[in-house]
Amino acid sequence: MKSLLSRRIHPVYLAFMAVSFMVGIAGALQAPTLSLFLSREVAVRPFWVGLFYTVNAVAGIVVSLLLAKRSDSQGDRRMLILFCCVMAVGNALLFAFNRHYLTLITAGVFLSAMASVAMPQIFALAREYADSSAREAVMFSSVMRAQLSLAWVIGPPLSFAIALNYGFTAMFLVAAGLFVVCVALIWFTLPSVPRAPVSAEVPITDISGWKSRDVRMLFVGSVLMWTCNTMYIIDMPLYISSVLGMPDALAGLLMGTAAGLEIPVMLLAGHYVKRFGKRNMMLLAIACGVLFYLGLVLFQSRTALMVLQLFNAVYIGIIAGIGMIWFQDLMPSRPGAATTLFTNSISTGVILAGVVQGALAESFGHHSVYWVASGLALAAFALSWRVREKRSV
């Protein structure tokens, strides 16, 4: 009985859950109020706020790719995660005490880019640990990803409460303190997993993954999926207030409802993925995304918008968890690069969404954003349809 219980509640398993939740909370404290911080505390125009987001996303992609390549070939992945969390502490302290835009968009963006590597590397280490200990990798990652959703249910309202009541300095100091806790958790609880040797039969050019047609199509499809999601996040508060004439608070309620629903969706997806397969579940998720964006145009009552969040939760809950596992299965020798490629598809989607949403809303109105999102989701469905379930050996 004792051995059975220890297998079900393994301390290392709980450590991964705690670390992913704490890193998620620290990130969810800083991200929601960043634009407010730049406009009010740093006092820059909207153009410079948008430029900061773009530069930050591009820097994150470049740095994460460079570090991911190194993480899969040499060194201890746990030490890299520790280094990234220390950079996150420095980044939070810089934003707490500095209000100079040029410093923030240079040194701040650099530290932020280094810090952003922590989460994909935590998932890569979790995948290596699951594989080496014969644990169920998909369910393991799904439960970890659910911790991020839980963090985003708690983090944003906490962020606004601290920033608006005690100031941005206090909010960034709390984030820095959380990252210090993460450093301690990682140092004392996470394992160092020996690297699996790369087979000499696999060409080194193939190990990178990008030369695989399946990886390329999945990456483009993932970019389109996250472009749709980010367009919605940017546009929805404006659509709710200016087009539908509903209270601003409804936007926060819709986001919180979707984040809460994502948690059981992720857990159920991790449980049923072996029965239905990653490809089929991803196709189901994208189909729900198409219905969600079409529904935003066709149904405009408060009740309908709340019901539609179920489709949104299925969409994001599955692509956020199963999508990452799909990349890892297509790149079995490079879990760090695979996870980073997935997160970079999100960052690329953020960059594209800002440009596309702004141009569409200004030229054709807010409804056009959701018509285009529906079309992009259909394109993502077509691309994902052509991707294999798993790389053949």
Side-chain angles (χ1 to χ4, degrees):
M1 176 65 73
K2 185 177 180 181
S3 65
L4 179 62
L5 185 62
S6 65
R7 280 164 55 184
R8 285 184 178 177
I9 310 177
H10 196 282
V12 177
Y13 180 91
L14 293 178
F16 275 111
M17 300 302 111
V19 169
S20 58
F21 177 72
M22 293 297 291
V23 173
I25 280 283
L29 272 180
Q30 298 175 87
T33 55
L34 180 58
S35 59
L36 197 62
F37 168 78
L38 292 171
S39 61
R40 292 187 181 179
E41 294 284 304
V42 187
V44 293
R45 301 195 330 262
F47 170 79
W48 298 106
V49 174
L51 180 65
F52 188 94
Y53 276 89
T54 301
V55 172
N56 195 39
V58 172
I61 291 174
V62 173
V63 170
S64 62
L65 281 175
L66 292 175
L67 289 182
K69 182 178 180 180
R70 183 186 184 280
S71 74
D72 284 326
S73 60
Q74 57 184 301
D76 184 347
R77 198 183 298 279
R78 188 177 69 101
M79 297 307 295
L80 176 58
I81 297 170
L82 279 169
F83 172 75
C84 293
C85 285
V86 171
M87 294 298 100
V89 173
N91 180 61
L93 292 175
L94 178 66
F95 275 76
F97 298 109
N98 189 284
R99 299 296 184 270
H100 188 250
Y101 182 80
L102 186 59
T103 303
L104 295 176
I105 204 172
T106 52
V109 162
F110 174 75
L111 290 172
S112 177
M114 300 290 283
S116 69
V117 178
M119 188 55 75
Q121 290 297 320
I122 290 169
F123 276 97
L125 181 63
R127 177 62 185 261
E128 289 179 335
Y129 171 75
D131 289 343
S132 65
S133 59
R135 291 183 174 271
E136 175 51 53
V138 176
M139 192 62 192
F140 190 16
S141 293
S142 295
V143 176
M144 283 183 62
R145 187 60 182 78
Q147 306 308 306
L148 291 186
S149 290
L150 180 59
W152 274 88
V153 173
I154 300 170
L158 183 61
S159 173
F160 278 99
I162 297 174
L164 298 179
N165 291 307
Y166 302 100
F168 285 96
T169 296
M171 189 269 291
F172 283 114
L173 286 176
V174 170
L178 290 175
F179 276 117
V180 170
V181 174
C182 292
V183 169
L185 281 172
I186 294 164
W187 179 264
F188 290 109
T189 65
L190 290 194
S192 293
V193 181
R195 302 296 170 81
V198 178
S199 173
E201 298 176 1
V202 181
I204 191 67
T205 53
D206 186 52
I207 296 172
S208 67
W210 189 247
K211 291 198 173 185
S212 165
R213 170 180 167 274
D214 291 305
V215 171
R216 292 197 305 270
M217 286 196 299
L218 183 58
F219 178 81
V220 175
S222 185
V223 167
L224 295 180
M225 296 174 212
W226 291 106
T227 299
C228 297
N229 178 61
T230 309
M231 285 169 60
Y232 163 74
I233 292 174
I234 296 171
D235 191 82
M236 187 266 285
L238 304 173
Y239 179 64
I240 291 291
S241 58
S242 62
V243 177
L244 302 184
M246 295 182 179
D248 295 338
L250 179 60
L253 181 60
L254 294 175
M255 288 186 181
T257 300
L261 290 171
E262 284 171 20
I263 298 174
V265 168
M266 287 176 183
L267 297 178
L268 288 171
H271 180 72
Y272 286 106
V273 68
K274 292 187 82 172
R275 180 183 300 180
F276 298 107
K278 290 177 287 294
R279 180 176 175 274
N280 289 335
M281 296 198 72
M282 286 287 287
L283 292 174
L284 170 65
I286 302 169
C288 287
V290 174
L291 294 175
F292 171 65
Y293 297 121
L294 285 176
L296 291 172
V297 179
L298 301 176
F299 306 101
Q300 300 176 357
S301 70
R302 179 189 177 100
T303 302
L305 292 174
M306 291 295 292
V307 171
L308 284 171
Q309 295 310 310
L310 179 59
F311 291 92
N312 189 24
V314 173
Y315 176 54
I316 300 302
I318 292 179
I319 70 170
I322 304 302
M324 180 181 67
I325 299 295
W326 205 0
F327 271 102
Q328 291 175 341
D329 282 353
L330 292 173
M331 301 169 62
S333 301
R334 302 293 301 275
T339 310
T340 300
L341 199 59
F342 171 73
T343 57
N344 282 345
S345 72
I346 301 177
S347 299
T348 306
V350 171
I351 296 170
L352 292 177
V355 177
V356 174
Q357 182 275 335
L360 287 173
E362 186 170 331
S363 302
F364 305 104
H366 292 283
H367 285 96
S368 66
V369 174
Y370 304 107
W371 286 115
V372 171
S374 302
L376 293 178
L378 281 172
F381 185 93
L383 285 167
S384 300
W385 182 273
R386 302 178 64 191
V387 179
R388 289 177 295 176
E389 172 80 9
K390 189 174 183 178
R391 175 184 160 181
S392 58
V393 180

